[in-house]
């Protein structure tokens, strides 16, 4: 989980006597990729586990030694590596905006820089999924949305995606491992292969109902959807739990299927749709008689924005002349150095500004800060990790937090069209 | 690595007496997502490891039991699960086209269906990366391309992406774990934080050169690129290995930097560029004095196509009336049932058609097949995995295979604009 340059930088800095300068790194996004109106921070709980486990095995040290990647002195340092610093950051589930100081990592240069890749991998991917998922949840209104995209992303990313989507308000997931690791409710219907396995669609429906009861959801579009619906009600009766449509023009198919189910007396049988949905398709089905959505590819790939574009930068460090704020100055990528205090400024309970106080806040600043909600929480102190943000409890907390914090955003935040962030970020 | 419905389908099929019907599943893509001219199969070696390890732990079985996911009979089956069937497929690194039978999995319905998610997760992600990477490699011509995108995808996907990009012809990766697991050459330069850590850019350059020698690559755009280049040559001398440009307008910056380096006498100092490159940006730099490319976000996210869109379908199974080809008939998703023999038909060494022979080939078919190269290899037989496709040796073999097989494609395959597949797929 480390890029080679992190280790060679530590090596070079050790030789130059600068490796253990107290330093502050910050993870932030310069913009909201894809013209999103807001982002949703996700991955924090996973990241805390990774930081706790972060160390170098004998096999890894051997690889570094035999490949002459770093000097013996640097190898000794890495062999004993353990993060002992402090990490503050936005709570998991928190909306964020360009320049929001999402994670502030304090420690020696060496212990902070080596975490760069793992911090960014997790925050960039998980937040991309949560950001897309949050738009889908809003577009779905009161209808439930299931995450079914495991097969469209790397096999470990699949578990992370299920987790991030659930934090962003999805109802459940098809991914069983996400159920085991993070306590997320799991669901499932059946695949076309199950119908094709049997000698007839009727045999397949009967087999599924015998095993799972009439409350199950039958996939009715393997051969002909209208005949599939007829058959489903014939086999299961009017108490059939649901039917799933996975192909065709969904608004038309949903309307026809609802009419057909009602005519057959299956008025309580729900319609789930699952074919290549994203937030726009979900919004387009708002007036259709759909009861639940299943989303695959688009949620696990961030709906066109598969990486959030966050970066991890040194913003302050102690040198021979004491603490110094630092920032890269090259074109198009100006950064704000120094430590920051982040506040979501509210008016009548509605967010109006992401306010970032730089350096030591003044008395006026403190008065301004009191008009909003402080956004940073302690995640790691002296190497000890705050347990409340971890495990299944951390996921549940993050899901609740996202719900409440998104409710604070102005209505423009929910526009699906690409555009400006819902509130401005102001550095004070 | 399993979707819930795979297990409930096994359960229902066991109760219906159909779970152990001999079955054939096939993984294929209905189209080349993103208007690609060809795809590149990747992930096969990783998949073989996953299939060998595929089983259910006590904790997983406990979760399934306590959650009433499946019946006790199904739990017993899963507790003893081991894939004992046969898998044939395209060799890793092989180009593919719509409908190419990428993986054919034979066994009982139960043992095949439970692998659906892991097969698709790996093939969809790894092939998306390899397909994008192959375009970048072609666009780069003889110049080397390094994979540096670990921070822009999930932390395990990062290792898979480094592997897939290398198979597609990338020269090396920043990801150390990919070096350890798959024998891929690793590389690295330095980050802006390293410059900012030091009291001056000069101190930073000196520290890096002291540790890594003058052959290293210095990052020269932290403050002002022209002054950075001056300083780099002043500190390292004219034997400086390279400079890296990570911001600004790259064609202009590269030209200016080359002029400046030459004027300073550093005629052999190489220029590496790394700022938000994709295949189009690489092609746009063809006439610029660039010596090497580093690619991040775009390669690990499939350059706009983060999932390959492959599906895994039941294509044949034995029933009461013997073997039967099966396919779903619903709108827009017509599939071709049955087992297939895939041949890349060549004329004068150039691919002209992806020929898929269905069912039992006739004598005429056999004559036609002899005009090309058979595309399917044995990957698993009777549960035993072909070792030649695994580990670092498998990666090296796949990289070589991709190079030779891409060389067979017609020139239109290398057009970057979205369009039709380079050769048609013909079912005979």
């Amino acid at each position: 989980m480390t890029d080679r340059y992190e280790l060679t930088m530590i090596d070079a800095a050790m030789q130059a006597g600068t490796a253990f300068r107290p330093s502050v790194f910050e993870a932030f996004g310069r913009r909201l990729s894809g013209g999103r109106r807001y982002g949703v921070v996700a991955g924090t709980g996973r990241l805390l586990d990774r930081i706790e486990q972060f160390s170098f095995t004998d096999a890894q040290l051997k690889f570094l030694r035999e490949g002459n990647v770093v000097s013996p002195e640097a190898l000794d340092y890495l062999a004993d590596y353990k993060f002992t610093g402090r990490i503050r950051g936005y709570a998991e589930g928190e909306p964020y905006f360009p320049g929001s100081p999402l994670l502030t990592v304090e420690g020696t240069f060496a212990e902070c820089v080596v975490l760069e890749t793992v911090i960014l991998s997790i925050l960039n991917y998980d937040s991309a999924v949560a950001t897309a998922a949050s738009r889908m949840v809003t577009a779905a209104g009161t209808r439930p949305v299931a995450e079914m995209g495991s097969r469209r992303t790397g096999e470990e990313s699949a578990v992370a995606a299920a987790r991030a989507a659930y934090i962003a308000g999805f109802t459940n997931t098809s991914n069983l491992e996400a159920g085991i690791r993070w306590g997320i409710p799991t669901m499932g219907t059946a695949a076309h292969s199950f119908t094709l396995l049997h000698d007839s669609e009727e045999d397949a429906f009967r087999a599924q109902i015998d095993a799972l009861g009439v409350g199950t959801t039958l996939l009715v579009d393997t051969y002909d959807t209208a005949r599939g619906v007829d058959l489903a009600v014939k086999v299961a009766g009017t108490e059939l739990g649901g039917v799933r449509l996975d192909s065709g023009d969904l608004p038309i198919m949903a309307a026809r299927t609802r009419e057909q189910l009602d005519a057959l007396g299956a008025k309580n049988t729900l319609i789930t749709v699952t074919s290549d949905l994203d937030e726009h398709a979900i919004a387009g089905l708002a007036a259709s008689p759909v009861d639940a959505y299943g989303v695959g590819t688009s949620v696990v790939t961030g709906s066109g924005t598969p990486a959030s574009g966050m970066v991890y930068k040194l913003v302050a460090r102690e040198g021979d002349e004491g603490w110094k704020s630092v920032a890269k100055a090259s074109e198009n990528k100006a950064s704000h150095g120094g430590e920051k205090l982040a506040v979501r400024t509210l008016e009548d309970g509605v967010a109006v500004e992401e306010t970032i106080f730089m350096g030591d806040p003044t008395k006026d600043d403190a008065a301004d800060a009191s008009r909003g909600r402080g956004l940073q929480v302690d995640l790691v102190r002296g190497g000890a990790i705050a347990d409340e943000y971890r495990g299944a409890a951390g996921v549940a907390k993050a899901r609740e937090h996202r719900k409440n914090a998104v409710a604070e955003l102005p209505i423009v935040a929910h526009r699906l069209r690409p555009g400006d962030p819902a509130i401005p970020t102001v550095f004070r």
Side-chain angles (χ1 to χ4, degrees), chain A:
Chain A
M1 315 303 160
T2 311
D3 281 321
R4 180 172 169 131
Y5 81 168
E6 288 154 25
L7 305 190
T8 55
M9 285 193 283
I10 290 176
D11 194 9
M14 282 177 72
Q15 295 183 40
T18 51
F20 306 113
R21 286 185 163 184
S23 298
V24 182
F25 279 80
E26 185 186 302
F28 61 96
R30 290 198 176 88
R31 66 195 72 83
L32 293 173
S33 305
R36 300 284 191 251
R37 306 314 181 103
Y38 67 97
V40 174
V41 179
T44 319
R46 295 205 312 116
L47 178 58
L48 294 177
D49 290 345
R50 287 283 189 188
I51 288 173
E52 183 173 61
Q53 298 153 4
F54 200 95
S55 62
F56 292 82
T57 64
D58 289 344
Q60 289 166 338
L61 294 168
K62 180 164 175 270
F63 173 83
L64 297 174
R65 186 170 57 246
E66 292 181 353
N68 288 314
V69 175
V70 292
S71 69
E73 294 73 28
L75 276 178
D76 286 345
Y77 171 75
L78 296 175
D80 294 330
Y81 180 84
K82 181 163 175 28
F83 182 75
T84 62
R86 182 181 178 204
I87 302 181
R88 288 172 305 130
Y90 279 37
E92 189 159 11
E94 184 71 68
Y96 72 89
F97 298 92
S100 296
L102 302 177
L103 208 69
T104 306
V105 182
E106 302 175 26
T108 66
F109 175 80
E111 71 180 330
C112 295
V113 79
V114 78
L115 297 177
E116 176 171 2
T117 305
V118 71
I119 285 174
L120 289 177
S121 289
I122 292 176
L123 291 184
N124 269 322
Y125 180 69
D126 293 28
S127 301
V129 172
T131 298
S134 186
R135 290 156 57 87
M136 295 170 193
V137 167
T138 306
T142 56
R143 297 172 179 171
V145 190
E147 188 281 309
M148 303 165 61
S150 291
R151 63 194 57 192
R152 304 286 183 228
T153 187
E155 70 279 22
E156 282 291 339
S157 288
V159 187
R163 182 184 177 282
Y166 182 68
I167 286 171
F170 272 49
T171 313
N172 44 26
T173 177
S174 64
N175 188 293
L176 284 169
E177 187 67 20
I180 297 176
R181 284 193 209 166
W182 305 105
I184 299 169
T186 61
M187 55 70 68
T189 60
H192 295 111
S193 65
F194 185 77
T195 304
L196 297 171
L197 168 68
H198 290 87
D199 294 330
S200 69
E201 198 171 28
E202 182 167 349
D203 283 1
F205 287 176
R206 206 171 297 283
Q208 188 176 335
I209 286 162
D210 286 349
L212 303 173
V214 294
T216 192
T217 295
L218 293 173
L219 178 61
V220 290
D221 67 350
T222 303
Y223 302 106
D224 175 88
T225 304
R227 273 186 290 154
V229 171
D230 263 339
L231 190 60
V233 177
K234 179 184 147 198
V235 173
T238 54
E239 297 309 301
L240 174 63
V243 296
R244 174 159 82 102
L245 303 174
D246 186 43
S247 54
D249 183 87
L250 293 178
I252 294 175
M253 294 305 296
R256 279 191 196 164
T257 300
R258 181 74 272 159
E259 249 177 63
Q260 192 183 352
L261 286 169
D262 288 349
L264 292 167
K267 291 185 187 293
N268 297 318
T269 299
L270 305 179
I271 298 176
T272 295
V273 297
T274 58
S275 182
D276 284 338
L277 297 180
D278 62 10
E279 61 268 48
H280 304 285
I282 290 172
L285 286 162
S288 293
V290 166
D291 300 289
Y293 302 98
V295 182
T297 309
S298 69
V299 68
V300 302
T301 59
S303 198
T305 304
S308 307
M310 291 170 198
V311 294
Y312 182 75
K313 296 291 173 187
L314 183 68
V315 293
R317 50 98 183 140
E318 205 173 323
D320 296 338
E321 293 136 36
W323 276 96
K324 190 177 166 192
S325 292
V326 294
K328 182 181 161 213
S330 51
E331 304 142 74
N332 303 328
K333 287 194 180 173
S335 308
H336 295 272
E339 279 199 80
K340 298 167 187 78
L341 172 71
V343 173
R344 180 131 325 129
T345 300
L346 305 165
E347 276 177 15
D348 300 327
V350 178
V352 294
E353 185 183 286
E354 188 86 337
T355 316
I356 317 291
F357 295 99
M358 314 274 293
D360 295 319
T362 65
K363 209 190 287 178
D364 285 354
D365 286 342
D368 275 356
S370 72
R371 291 172 51 222
R373 182 164 63 79
L375 298 171
Q376 292 149 304
V377 297
D378 268 322
L379 298 168
V380 182
R381 280 195 89 121
I385 294 173
D387 275 333
E388 63 189 295
Y389 302 108
R390 300 171 77 181
V395 168
K397 187 185 175 80
R399 189 168 195 264
E400 184 67 17
H401 187 75
R402 176 258 164 208
K403 189 180 161 192
N404 296 330
V406 164
E408 283 174 358
L409 299 180
I411 290 167
V412 68
H414 305 302
R415 293 187 72 167
L416 296 179
R417 259 203 331 222
D420 291 332
I423 56 173
T425 304
V426 178
F427 290 87
R428 293 182 188 271

